[in-house]
Amino acid sequence: MAPTPQASDQSPQPKTILFDVSKRERLNLQREFKSLHRRLRTNWKVDVNSEEIQVRPSDCRVFVLGGPSVSLSVEERVVLKNFVDGGGSLLVLLGEGGESKSSTNINLLLKDYGIKVNNDGVVRSSYYKYFHPKEALIADGVLNRALSASVGKLSFGDDRNDRQSLSFVYPFGATLDCSKPAIPVLSTGSVAYPLNRPVCAFYSGKGKLVVLGSVDMFSDKYLEKEDNTKILVSAADASATPSCLRTWCCPT
């Protein structure tokens, strides 16, 4: 159902997260996001938007595009930009092949914040633990040590230890281009190709934007693998809690 209009655009509902399905998202709460739904609803009010995107900061704290496969209209891009610039948090998940494979135009929105999802794929260079080469286990991909601190896995020492403080499975995902004002948070590390390329980026202004190049990373099959759940929780908290937001924005 569509979000219920609110009287004011200034006061977001506390801990409300809205998943869009109007863009024929590849994954949703009834398909492959069931585990994610169960985990979120313990601390969040979770709802679904099935109509034209008209979201405002008063409708929800976080709006999720979980692998859109239909282009955003000009009006919807304006709505989402106003949502972020007005204090809302937007989570964008895509997949390998980027825009070209998903038949979306999400980069037209993301470019205003210094982020682009590339039309490529991430492949692990050698077999380890997961059978498919596109199920990339990344053990040295942390670009911002504050992310590790936010989930209680901060490694004190040299940069190598900081990069290895979290391990995550990055399945069937794309890389990102990231420039200011965005901050790269996770990368492909040194064993997945292309090497040392951003795969997760974060923007903070009045509102927040988190972009992840793998929608499958938080799916039922992979959410509980390695530290994927910890990364999800940190991303959700960073979107909703100012103190966690400041943690993500700390320099490496």
Side-chain angles (χ1 to χ4, degrees), residues 151-169:
V151 298
K153 296 195 69 172
L154 180 63
S155 174
F156 295 96
D158 59 29
D159 181 64
R160 176 182 173 87
N161 289 333
D162 292 336
R163 292 177 65 90
Q164 295 178 346
S165 57
L166 285 169
S167 296
F168 58 97
V169 186

mmCIF file of all heavy atoms in Angstrom, residues 151-169:
data_model
loop_
_atom_site.group_PDB
_atom_site.id
_atom_site.type_symbol
_atom_site.label_atom_id
_atom_site.label_comp_id
_atom_site.label_asym_id
_atom_site.label_seq_id
_atom_site.Cartn_x
_atom_site.Cartn_y
_atom_site.Cartn_z
ATOM 1 N N VAL A 151 30.027 -1.732 14.805
ATOM 2 C CA VAL A 151 29.501 -3.072 15.075
ATOM 3 C C VAL A 151 30.361 -3.805 16.096
ATOM 4 O O VAL A 151 30.260 -5.018 16.257
ATOM 5 C CB VAL A 151 29.393 -3.900 13.775
ATOM 6 C CG1 VAL A 151 28.417 -3.247 12.815
ATOM 7 C CG2 VAL A 151 30.762 -4.082 13.117
ATOM 8 N N GLY A 152 31.248 -3.084 16.779
ATOM 9 C CA GLY A 152 32.041 -3.664 17.850
ATOM 10 C C GLY A 152 33.183 -4.545 17.396
ATOM 11 O O GLY A 152 33.630 -5.422 18.133
ATOM 12 N N LYS A 153 33.684 -4.326 16.165
ATOM 13 C CA LYS A 153 34.786 -5.152 15.661
ATOM 14 C C LYS A 153 35.975 -4.297 15.241
ATOM 15 O O LYS A 153 36.675 -4.610 14.280
ATOM 16 C CB LYS A 153 34.306 -6.007 14.479
ATOM 17 C CG LYS A 153 33.233 -7.020 14.859
ATOM 18 C CD LYS A 153 33.042 -8.064 13.798
ATOM 19 C CE LYS A 153 34.236 -8.989 13.682
ATOM 20 N NZ LYS A 153 33.993 -10.131 12.778
ATOM 21 N N LEU A 154 36.191 -3.209 15.946
ATOM 22 C CA LEU A 154 37.319 -2.344 15.632
ATOM 23 C C LEU A 154 38.628 -3.071 15.917
ATOM 24 O O LEU A 154 38.818 -3.664 16.975
ATOM 25 C CB LEU A 154 37.252 -1.057 16.442
ATOM 26 C CG LEU A 154 38.386 -0.048 16.213
ATOM 27 C CD1 LEU A 154 38.374 0.439 14.772
ATOM 28 C CD2 LEU A 154 38.259 1.117 17.180
ATOM 29 N N SER A 155 39.522 -3.019 14.959
ATOM 30 C CA SER A 155 40.840 -3.635 15.112
ATOM 31 C C SER A 155 41.878 -2.538 15.274
ATOM 32 O O SER A 155 42.092 -1.738 14.368
ATOM 33 C CB SER A 155 41.166 -4.497 13.884
ATOM 34 O OG SER A 155 42.482 -4.983 13.958
ATOM 35 N N PHE A 156 42.497 -2.467 16.433
ATOM 36 C CA PHE A 156 43.531 -1.463 16.656
ATOM 37 C C PHE A 156 44.849 -1.968 16.072
ATOM 38 O O PHE A 156 45.237 -3.111 16.259
ATOM 39 C CB PHE A 156 43.693 -1.186 18.144
ATOM 40 C CG PHE A 156 42.473 -0.552 18.759
ATOM 41 C CD1 PHE A 156 41.531 -1.328 19.413
ATOM 42 C CD2 PHE A 156 42.264 0.814 18.644
ATOM 43 C CE1 PHE A 156 40.409 -0.749 19.967
ATOM 44 C CE2 PHE A 156 41.145 1.400 19.198
ATOM 45 C CZ PHE A 156 40.215 0.621 19.862
ATOM 46 N N GLY A 157 45.523 -1.109 15.358
ATOM 47 C CA GLY A 157 46.774 -1.523 14.748
ATOM 48 C C GLY A 157 46.947 -0.874 13.397
ATOM 49 O O GLY A 157 46.474 0.222 13.149
ATOM 50 N N ASP A 158 47.623 -1.601 12.473
ATOM 51 C CA ASP A 158 47.906 -1.003 11.174
ATOM 52 C C ASP A 158 46.683 -1.064 10.270
ATOM 53 O O ASP A 158 45.663 -1.681 10.589
ATOM 54 C CB ASP A 158 49.102 -1.690 10.512
ATOM 55 C CG ASP A 158 48.886 -3.184 10.298
ATOM 56 O OD1 ASP A 158 47.732 -3.603 10.137
ATOM 57 O OD2 ASP A 158 49.883 -3.924 10.280
ATOM 58 N N ASP A 159 46.810 -0.427 9.123
ATOM 59 C CA ASP A 159 45.697 -0.327 8.189
ATOM 60 C C ASP A 159 45.258 -1.690 7.687
ATOM 61 O O ASP A 159 44.074 -1.924 7.438
ATOM 62 C CB ASP A 159 46.097 0.566 7.014
ATOM 63 C CG ASP A 159 44.975 0.749 6.007
ATOM 64 O OD1 ASP A 159 43.943 1.328 6.381
ATOM 65 O OD2 ASP A 159 45.136 0.296 4.859
ATOM 66 N N ARG A 160 46.183 -2.627 7.545
ATOM 67 C CA ARG A 160 45.848 -3.971 7.077
ATOM 68 C C ARG A 160 44.855 -4.634 8.020
ATOM 69 O O ARG A 160 43.875 -5.247 7.587
ATOM 70 C CB ARG A 160 47.129 -4.812 6.957
ATOM 71 C CG ARG A 160 46.868 -6.261 6.554
ATOM 72 C CD ARG A 160 48.179 -7.045 6.512
ATOM 73 N NE ARG A 160 47.946 -8.460 6.305
ATOM 74 C CZ ARG A 160 47.823 -9.026 5.125
ATOM 75 N NH1 ARG A 160 47.891 -8.287 4.036
ATOM 76 N NH2 ARG A 160 47.636 -10.327 5.010
ATOM 77 N N ASN A 161 45.092 -4.514 9.333
ATOM 78 C CA ASN A 161 44.177 -5.109 10.297
ATOM 79 C C ASN A 161 42.811 -4.431 10.255
ATOM 80 O O ASN A 161 41.770 -5.087 10.416
ATOM 81 C CB ASN A 161 44.759 -5.017 11.702
ATOM 82 C CG ASN A 161 45.942 -5.956 11.899
ATOM 83 O OD1 ASN A 161 46.043 -6.979 11.237
ATOM 84 N ND2 ASN A 161 46.844 -5.585 12.800
ATOM 85 N N ASP A 162 42.785 -3.117 10.069
ATOM 86 C CA ASP A 162 41.513 -2.405 9.974
ATOM 87 C C ASP A 162 40.702 -2.898 8.783
ATOM 88 O O ASP A 162 39.490 -3.110 8.888
ATOM 89 C CB ASP A 162 41.754 -0.902 9.836
ATOM 90 C CG ASP A 162 42.341 -0.291 11.102
ATOM 91 O OD1 ASP A 162 42.135 -0.874 12.178
ATOM 92 O OD2 ASP A 162 43.007 0.752 11.003
ATOM 93 N N ARG A 163 41.349 -3.105 7.659
ATOM 94 C CA ARG A 163 40.652 -3.556 6.457
ATOM 95 C C ARG A 163 40.108 -4.969 6.612
ATOM 96 O O ARG A 163 39.136 -5.342 5.956
ATOM 97 C CB ARG A 163 41.590 -3.488 5.241
ATOM 98 C CG ARG A 163 41.958 -2.070 4.817
ATOM 99 C CD ARG A 163 42.954 -2.085 3.662
ATOM 100 N NE ARG A 163 42.375 -2.668 2.467
ATOM 101 C CZ ARG A 163 41.718 -1.972 1.532
ATOM 102 N NH1 ARG A 163 41.546 -0.678 1.680
ATOM 103 N NH2 ARG A 163 41.238 -2.567 0.454
ATOM 104 N N GLN A 164 40.703 -5.745 7.493
ATOM 105 C CA GLN A 164 40.286 -7.129 7.680
ATOM 106 C C GLN A 164 39.381 -7.327 8.893
ATOM 107 O O GLN A 164 39.104 -8.457 9.278
ATOM 108 C CB GLN A 164 41.532 -8.017 7.815
ATOM 109 C CG GLN A 164 42.385 -8.067 6.561
ATOM 110 C CD GLN A 164 43.635 -8.909 6.733
ATOM 111 O OE1 GLN A 164 44.012 -9.258 7.843
ATOM 112 N NE2 GLN A 164 44.284 -9.230 5.624
ATOM 113 N N SER A 165 38.900 -6.256 9.476
ATOM 114 C CA SER A 165 38.098 -6.370 10.693
ATOM 115 C C SER A 165 36.699 -6.911 10.437
ATOM 116 O O SER A 165 36.045 -7.405 11.351
ATOM 117 C CB SER A 165 38.009 -5.011 11.395
ATOM 118 O OG SER A 165 37.472 -4.038 10.515
ATOM 119 N N LEU A 166 36.213 -6.829 9.207
ATOM 120 C CA LEU A 166 34.919 -7.386 8.824
ATOM 121 C C LEU A 166 35.079 -8.194 7.547
ATOM 122 O O LEU A 166 35.791 -7.792 6.625
ATOM 123 C CB LEU A 166 33.893 -6.265 8.571
ATOM 124 C CG LEU A 166 33.288 -5.536 9.767
ATOM 125 C CD1 LEU A 166 32.523 -4.307 9.286
ATOM 126 C CD2 LEU A 166 32.369 -6.457 10.557
ATOM 127 N N SER A 167 34.408 -9.336 7.499
ATOM 128 C CA SER A 167 34.341 -10.133 6.271
ATOM 129 C C SER A 167 32.893 -10.158 5.792
ATOM 130 O O SER A 167 31.968 -10.224 6.601
ATOM 131 C CB SER A 167 34.821 -11.570 6.517
ATOM 132 O OG SER A 167 36.183 -11.598 6.881
ATOM 133 N N PHE A 168 32.711 -10.116 4.484
ATOM 134 C CA PHE A 168 31.341 -10.139 3.971
ATOM 135 C C PHE A 168 31.299 -10.857 2.626
ATOM 136 O O PHE A 168 32.288 -10.906 1.890
ATOM 137 C CB PHE A 168 30.776 -8.724 3.832
ATOM 138 C CG PHE A 168 31.556 -7.788 2.949
ATOM 139 C CD1 PHE A 168 31.190 -7.589 1.621
ATOM 140 C CD2 PHE A 168 32.658 -7.106 3.431
ATOM 141 C CE1 PHE A 168 31.901 -6.729 0.804
ATOM 142 C CE2 PHE A 168 33.376 -6.230 2.621
ATOM 143 C CZ PHE A 168 33.000 -6.040 1.297
ATOM 144 N N VAL A 169 30.144 -11.459 2.341
ATOM 145 C CA VAL A 169 29.908 -12.075 1.041
ATOM 146 C C VAL A 169 29.251 -11.033 0.158
ATOM 147 O O VAL A 169 28.227 -10.449 0.524
ATOM 148 C CB VAL A 169 28.998 -13.311 1.143
ATOM 149 C CG1 VAL A 169 28.913 -14.003 -0.214
ATOM 150 C CG2 VAL A 169 29.503 -14.274 2.186
#
